[in-house]
Amino acid sequence: MLGEVVAGPGSMLIAAYCKEHTNISMDALASYLQTRQQRSRAAGPRESDRQKIAGMLSGALPADDDRQARRWYSSGQSYAKGTLMVQADPRCSPRRG
């Protein structure tokens, strides 16, 4: 059961200690150790992530026949356009008067 919760060797020691010396539930332990995030990081970026970043950075377009990759790329472009817009900061406006 601990093997299902734990991702790395350090986490295994923490999990074994907690199981032996505390009343922590396995669900709470998995949450504290962030095992889902550890597995996700170990798996590396997904193709959707790569295409979104390419869109954000105006990288090379995916092939015409890869509709899903083009959607991810477009999503990255939209995100970049929305977050890179210059917005006036009222604290920096010239004083009038």
Side-chain angles (χ1 to χ4, degrees):
M1 181 127 175
L2 281 177
E4 295 173 11
V5 171
V6 181
S11 297
M12 182 64 90
L13 289 172
I14 294 167
Y17 178 86
C18 289
K19 176 116 172 82
E20 189 68 27
H21 299 287
T22 70
N23 290 328
I24 192 169
S25 73
M26 294 307 277
D27 289 337
L29 184 58
S31 175
Y32 293 145
L33 296 175
Q34 300 180 345
T35 55
R36 287 189 188 113
Q37 293 89 335
Q38 291 178 24
R39 283 189 212 108
S40 176
R41 286 185 199 109
R46 297 173 295 188
E47 185 59 26
S48 60
D49 297 329
R50 288 187 185 98
Q51 293 301 334
K52 286 179 185 176
I53 291 170
M56 286 180 208
L57 301 174
S58 298
L61 283 168
D64 287 336
D65 61 342
D66 193 344
R67 297 178 76 185
Q68 187 63 41
R70 285 189 165 266
R71 278 191 217 115
W72 291 324
Y73 185 92
S74 177
S75 171
Q77 283 183 317
S78 297
Y79 180 83
K81 288 176 187 173
T83 59
L84 297 178
M85 293 175 59
V86 176
Q87 296 179 358
D89 185 344
R91 298 172 293 175
C92 298
S93 298
R95 292 185 183 195
R96 296 182 188 209

